Amino acid sequence: MPANETAPPVKKKGRRARLIVLVLVLALFAGLGYGAYWSVDGVRASFPQTTGSLKVPGLTGTVEVKRDANGIPQLYADNDDDLFRAQGFVHAQDRFWEMDVRRHMTSGRLSEMFGSGQVETDAFLRTLGWRQVAQEEFDKKLSPETKKYLQAYADGVNAYLKGKSGKDLSVEHAALKLTDGYAPEQWSPVDSVAWLKAMAWDLRGNMQDEIDRALMSSKLSKAQIDELYPPYPFDRNKPVVEGGRIDGTKDAAKYVPQGQTGSAGGPGSNAGGPGANGSGSSGSGNAASSQNAGTAGLAGNATAQGATVGLRTQLSALADTLDKVPAILGPNGSGIGSNSWVVAGKYTTTGKPLLANDPHLSPQLPSVWYQMGLHCRTVSAQCQYDVAGYTFSGMPGVVIGHNADIAWGMTNLGADVTDLYLEQIKPEGYVYDNKVQPFGIREEVIKIAGGDSKKITVRTTNNGPLVSDRSEELGSVGTRAPVDTAAPDRGDGYAVALRWTALDPGKSMDAVFKLDRAKNFDEFRKAAADFEVPSQNLIYADTKGNIGYQAPGRIPVRNQGDGRMPAPGWDSKYAWKGGRDSNAGYIPQNELPWDYNPSRGYIVTANQAVVENGTGAGKYPHLLTTDWGYGARSQRINDLIEAKIKDGGKISTDDMRTMQMDNSSEIAALLTPMLSKIQVSDPGVRAAQKLLDGWNYTQESDSAAAAYFNAVWRNVLKLAFGDKMPKELRIEGSCMNVLGDATGPADDLAETVRECGTRDSDSAQPDGGDRWFEVVRRLVKDEKSQWWAAPRTLNQPATTSRDELFARAMTDARWELTAKLGKDQSTWSWGRLHQLHLKNQTIGTEGPGFMKWLLNRGPWNLGGGEATVNATGWNATSGYEVTWVPSMRMVVNLNDLDKSRWINLTGASGHAYSAHYTDQTQMWAKGELLDWPFGKEAVQQATVDTLTLEPGGS
C-alpha cells in the first residue's frame, strides 16, 4: 500500500450543494465576509490544545503529551489503559476528519457523509463485509487484553469528541454540519479493527493480475500472455531468503533457514498458524502448478477454458467497480510495495545493526502515517510499552518502528491471497459438485445523506460473496460465451465470487501489540504468527546485534490450480484445502520462510520473490504466489550494499539514507545504449538523442536526459503493447480503430469501428513497472518480435522491427516533450514532468477548483521513478505525475536509538493551515531525515509543547 487516502473519488452528484456551502464557509473564515474574527475562529477552532492541562474521563493518572518542533507527540503514562486512552485522544486531536471518513469507508457508509454518489461503492463494501468480519474478530478472536486496549483507545477518542461538533473538529466537519446537520457518532473498538481490512484490501496481492490475464485472453493468445507475465529472474535478482528447506512431515514440519540445523528449528518454531493441523507439507503439490502453467484457460482447466471468454464482460465490470473503491494506501499493482533492509553490525560504522524502511503508498494529505511515541514511565506488568514509530490514526499501537530492544520494518509480501470463482447460479442457489446449494443471504440498509435509504441483498457462496451482484453488467451473463460441454449449463448465467483470506476472522490486531512489546527474535516471531492479514515481509534487528526476517500471514493451500486465472466454483477440486477451522487451509506458520543472522550479513526485502518455488534442493515446496515484483529495486539495494562493504567498507546511518534516495533506472541502463545507436534524420530528434550521451541512468529532478528517456520509454510501451491491449485494460479515453467483427478476415471489405479504453488511470496497462522491465529485457533479443509491429499513422510509417519502433518512439517523445516543456531542451528537466501534488481527502480531490486551491498543496518536482529505490512511481499510460511515493522513511540505529532518523510525507496535523500540515514535505522531497528522539532525556530536549491529560470530567 501504496488513489486517495480514505477518500472516495467524490462524485459531484448529490454533493455539489454542500461543496458550494463549504466554499462560502471558508471564504467567511478567510475574512472575506465577516472580517478577521471568522479568520481566527473558523480556521483555528479545530486546532488542538498542546499546552496546559485537560481533563479526560477514565484516566487513572496523568499522561504527558510532549510535542517537538514538528508537532510529533511522545506520550508518557503509568499504565497501559491510560497510554492507549491518551493515544486515542491525541489521534483525534490531529486527525479526526481522516478517522471519520476512514471508518465510514470501512463500514460501507460513505453515503451517510457524501450522499447518493457513494451508494455503489457502499454496496460493494457491504458485500465484502469488512465491518461484519471486524465485529466477529472483536467478539470471538481477539485476546481480552487487546479488547481492553481497543476500548481504552475508543474511550480516548470519545473523550475528545465530547461537546465538539462542526468547526471544533475540522473545517470539513463544519461544512457537513451546516448543510445536512451531520454530527459524528461515538467511536467504537470495531472502528479500529475494520481499518486492518482496508489495509489488507489495498495489499491483497494478484487479484488485478488475475482479472487482467482473463481479459487479455479475449485478444491475445496464451503464448502472448505468457510473454507479458514472464517468470521471476532468479538467475539475476536474489530472493529474500536462499537455500532454506522444510524438514519433517505434516504436523511436525518446519522451515529451516540456510545454515541452521534441523533440530534447532529457530526461535518461535512452535508458533502455529491457521491450518497447522490441515495440509502441512502435503500442500507442496501446489509447486507443480508453476508460473508457466497458469494462463491456459480457467485456472489451467482445459474443460472450462471456454468459460474464460464469457467472463470478459463480467471481469471488465468488476475491474471498473474495483477502480471506484477508495484506495486507502494507493493503487493496487506494481507500485504497492516498500523497501526495507537491515545490515548486521559487522558491516556498519556503529558495530550494531542499522535498519531502513520506506513503504511505497499513495501520496495523501495528510499522510497515512502518524509519528508517535508511546512510553511507560516505568515498564512493568501494569505498563508494558516503550515504543515509537509510525501509527495509523484510528488504531492503537505502533505499526512500524522500534522499542527499547528491537526494531522492525514491513514490506508487502505479495502473496496470492485472493481467488475469483466463476459460479453457476440458479434461482434457488448455486451449483457445487452437481448439487444446488442455498445462498447465504443477508440484507443491508444504506442510509443516504439528503435522500431515501436503499436496501441491498448480499448473496454468498462457499467460495465467498458474489461480487458480481454489485454491478449492472455483472447482473447478467455473457450470453455469447462458448462453454465447453464439460462445464455446467449456463442457465441464468455465471456470477463471480471472491475468496479472500481477510474475510475469515483473525487476530492481526493482537499481533500489533505483541510486536510493540517484543524483546527478542523469539517473541518477534510469535507476534508475527498472529499477523495474518495483510501478509507482510517482517524484517528485524535488535540491540544485541541480531538481524532476522519472517514471512507471516494466511496464505492458502489450493487443492488444484495456481490462482493465476479465475477458477470454476462449481468444482470442489479448485477449492482451498480444508484446515482446522473447516473453512480454509493455510500454510502453517512453522513452514513459512524466515531467516536469522544469515552469513551474508544483511537482509533485503523490496517485494521481490521471497523464495524460489520448486521440488529440488534449496527450493520451497509451497506456492506463495506466481506474481512477485520482479526485483529491480531489491537487487539494486543488494548491489549498493555489496559495493559499500567491499574491501572492508562500513555502512553508516547516512549511507542508509543515501541508498533510500538512489535514483538509478534499470530499464534506462538496458535501453539507452540501444537508443543511442538508432539512426534518426530529424534534427530535433537527433538533438534530443544526444541528451542520452554520457548519461549515468540516474533520474535526478534536474536531469533533461531522464526526462527524454522516460518519455521514450512511455512511447515504446504504448506502441509495442498499449495499442495491442483489449479496451478493458487501456486507459479511459484512449481510442483506436479496430475491426468491427474480430472473427472475420481483415480484408478490404472489413469494417472498422472506433473503440475506446475503459480502465482507470491508476490500473491501466502497460503501467511501466518492473514487470514491463522484464518483458522488454527478454524481447529486445528478438529484433523481429511481433510486439515490435505498429501500424502506420498519418505522420509515421508502420514499424516491423525493434529499431524501427524505437526510432518512432524517440520521435514521438521529442514532440511530446516539446509540447509539455518547450522547444528549448536546455529547460527540460525530469522534475518538471514528474511532479507530486498532495490532495486533501475527499473535497481536495474532486471538489470545486477554489476548494482544491485552499486545501491542496504542491507541486514538488521530484527525482526517482518507477521501480527505482527512490520509488516515486508513475503510470506510463496516463503521464508522468507521481502516483505513489515512499510514504515515510526511517533508519533505526540499534547502537544508539536516539541517533535514529525519520521523516513523514506530510506532517502530524490533518488540519489545513496548521503549521504541521505539510511541514515535513520539503525535507522529505530533498531526502532529508529528522532526528528521532526516544530516550527520556532526548525527548525532553526536543520538546517545545507539553500538554498534561488529567483524570476527571465526565
Side-chain angles (χ1 to χ4, degrees), residues 351-528:
K352 290 288 179 69
L354 294 171
L355 185 150
N357 195 192
D358 55 287
H360 307 155
L361 306 173
S362 174
Q364 303 159 14
L365 181 60
S367 166
V368 69
W369 300 109
Y370 184 90
Q371 297 151 286
M372 178 178 270
L374 301 173
H375 307 278
C376 291
R377 294 187 179 99
T378 301
V379 176
S380 66
Q382 291 72 39
C383 200
Q384 305 174 74
Y385 297 89
D386 188 16
V387 61
Y390 294 86
T391 71
F392 290 133
S393 58
M395 196 179 92
V398 169
V399 178
I400 295 174
H402 70 81
N403 58 33
D405 301 294
I406 76 165
W408 67 95
M410 295 185 189
T411 66
N412 193 26
L413 192 150
D416 185 356
V417 296
T418 60
D419 279 341
L420 294 174
Y421 284 90
L422 188 65
E423 304 282 4
Q424 190 206 14
I425 59 173
K426 301 286 187 179
E428 65 274 22
Y430 61 97
V431 176
Y432 191 70
D433 282 347
N434 298 315
K435 296 181 180 179
V436 178
Q437 304 290 339
F439 292 115
I441 298 288
R442 73 175 190 273
E443 290 189 343
E444 299 271 354
V445 176
I446 299 174
K447 298 179 181 179
I448 303 170
D452 296 332
S453 298
K454 301 286 186 181
K455 182 184 291 186
I456 66 168
T457 300
V458 177
R459 301 188 296 173
T460 303
T461 74
N462 62 335
N463 290 314
L466 288 182
V467 291
S468 54
D469 283 349
R470 299 280 66 87
S471 165
E472 290 182 6
E473 285 186 272
L474 289 171
S476 60
V477 300
T479 56
R480 295 168 296 163
V483 180
D484 202 280
T485 55
D489 179 69
R490 189 181 297 120
D492 286 335
Y494 293 133
V496 180
L498 172 65
R499 188 76 177 91
W500 178 33
T501 56
L503 298 184
D504 294 336
K507 300 185 291 182
S508 294
M509 198 70 236
D510 284 345
V512 173
F513 297 112
K514 288 181 179 180
L515 279 173
D516 285 356
R517 61 176 183 260
K519 296 184 179 301
N520 52 51
F521 192 56
D522 181 48
E523 293 181 8
F524 169 80
R525 291 195 66 214
K526 289 177 180 177

Side-chain angles (χ1 to χ4, degrees), residues 820-863:
K820 291 180 180 295
L821 301 179
K823 186 176 181 179
D824 184 357
Q825 295 177 30
S826 68
T827 67
W828 289 4
S829 69
W830 175 226
R832 286 181 62 200
L833 286 175
H834 193 52
Q835 293 186 326
L836 170 66
H837 293 83
L838 292 175
K839 298 178 181 180
N840 185 274
Q841 291 185 74
T842 310
I843 297 169
T845 303
E846 292 193 19
F850 181 58
M851 286 301 308
K852 296 178 182 179
W853 179 79
L854 285 171
L855 299 176
N856 298 342
R857 300 292 183 268
W860 285 266
N861 295 347
L862 298 185

Side-chain angles (χ1 to χ4, degrees), residues 162-326:
K162 187 175 178 61
K164 294 183 175 67
S165 64
K167 67 179 183 181
D168 299 325
L169 296 170
S170 70
V171 292
E172 297 93 337
H173 280 107
L176 292 180
K177 182 177 176 62
L178 286 171
T179 53
D180 285 335
Y182 174 83
E185 62 191 35
Q186 293 281 287
W187 194 266
S188 79
V190 180
D191 290 332
S192 298
V193 179
W195 160 243
L196 287 173
K197 300 303 169 188
M199 181 181 173
W201 177 255
D202 279 357
L203 303 175
R204 62 190 177 272
N206 78 335
M207 182 174 167
Q208 192 68 59
D209 287 327
E210 189 174 338
I211 292 172
D212 288 355
R213 279 189 289 262
L215 291 171
M216 285 179 186
S217 66
S218 69
K219 194 169 183 179
L220 304 176
S221 69
K222 175 191 178 301
Q224 289 173 319
I225 296 173
D226 284 345
E227 284 187 302
L228 301 186
Y229 288 88
Y232 185 89
F234 286 101
D235 60 331
R236 193 176 68 255
N237 296 341
K238 296 178 182 178
V240 177
V241 297
E242 299 177 271
R245 66 189 187 279
I246 292 180
D247 279 356
T249 59
K250 294 186 177 180
D251 293 347
K254 58 187 175 183
Y255 181 84
V256 181
Q258 187 177 52
Q260 303 281 341
T261 61
S263 58
S269 60
N270 292 326
N277 295 330
S279 59
S281 293
S282 63
S284 62
N286 275 342
S289 298
S290 68
Q291 189 153 357
N292 294 322
T295 54
L298 200 67
N301 180 12
T303 63
Q305 182 173 355
T308 302
V309 181
L311 275 176
R312 181 178 180 182
T313 300
Q314 290 94 323
L315 292 177
S316 175
L318 177 58
D320 182 63
T321 300
L322 296 179
D323 283 337
K324 295 175 183 176
V325 176

Side-chain angles (χ1 to χ4, degrees), residues 24-44 167:
L24 296 176
V25 170
L26 289 180
L28 294 176
F29 288 172
L32 299 180
Y34 282 78
Y37 167 78
W38 280 106
S39 177
V40 174
D41 181 65
V43 175
R44 297 184 180 177
K167 67 179 183 181

Side-chain angles (χ1 to χ4, degrees), residues 696-927:
N696 63 357
Y697 319 129
T698 60
Q699 302 168 97
E700 303 298 336
S701 175
D702 61 357
S703 171
Y708 182 59
F709 173 80
N710 282 314
V712 174
W713 170 236
R714 178 176 183 242
N715 281 279
V716 166
L717 291 169
K718 179 181 184 296
L719 293 169
F721 310 106
D723 291 343
K724 300 177 179 71
M725 293 287 124
K727 66 179 181 179
E728 295 86 356
L729 271 68
R730 298 201 311 271
I731 189 170
E732 185 176 4
S734 171
C735 300
M736 57 189 295
N737 294 325
V738 299
L739 289 176
D741 181 4
T743 63
D747 56 27
D748 291 341
L749 298 183
E751 294 184 1
T752 61
V753 297
R754 193 70 170 162
E755 181 187 81
C756 296
T758 61
R759 182 63 68 85
D760 182 84
S761 61
D762 285 337
S763 57
Q765 295 295 333
D767 62 12
D770 65 354
R771 172 165 68 88
W772 294 100
F773 288 13
E774 189 63 20
V775 169
V776 171
R777 178 184 297 280
R778 291 167 178 265
L779 289 178
V780 292
K781 301 172 185 177
D782 181 2
E783 296 186 25
K784 295 294 184 178
S785 167
Q786 61 183 337
W787 294 106
W788 304 129
R792 65 179 177 84
T793 66
L794 292 176
N795 301 316
Q796 296 278 12
T799 67
T800 59
S801 70
R802 181 196 69 192
D803 287 355
E804 287 177 353
L805 186 138
F806 282 5
R808 182 163 158 183
M810 292 169 68
T811 300
D812 291 348
R814 171 63 170 95
W815 303 118
E816 179 188 359
L817 293 197
T818 297
K820 291 180 180 295
L821 301 179
K823 186 176 181 179
D824 184 357
Q825 295 177 30
S826 68
T827 67
W828 289 4
S829 69
W830 175 226
R832 286 181 62 200
L833 286 175
H834 193 52
Q835 293 186 326
L836 170 66
H837 293 83
L838 292 175
K839 298 178 181 180
N840 185 274
Q841 291 185 74
T842 310
I843 297 169
T845 303
E846 292 193 19
F850 181 58
M851 286 301 308
K852 296 178 182 179
W853 179 79
L854 285 171
L855 299 176
N856 298 342
R857 300 292 183 268
W860 285 266
N861 295 347
L862 298 185
E866 184 67 31
T868 301
V869 178
N870 181 22
T872 56
W874 53 286
N875 187 309
T877 65
S878 58
Y880 307 96
E881 183 171 346
V882 175
T883 57
W884 49 76
V885 293
S887 57
M888 62 79 158
R889 298 186 185 100
M890 74 175 193
V891 179
V892 182
N893 182 333
L894 276 300
N895 181 62
D896 185 347
L897 293 170
D898 288 330
K899 292 183 179 178
S900 301
R901 312 294 301 280
W902 62 351
I903 199 74
N904 205 351
L905 172 63
T906 63
S909 179
H911 300 287
Y913 307 106
S914 164
H916 305 307
Y917 192 44
T918 56
D919 60 337
Q920 297 185 51
T921 307
Q922 188 63 29
M923 292 178 287
W924 172 91
K926 292 179 179 179

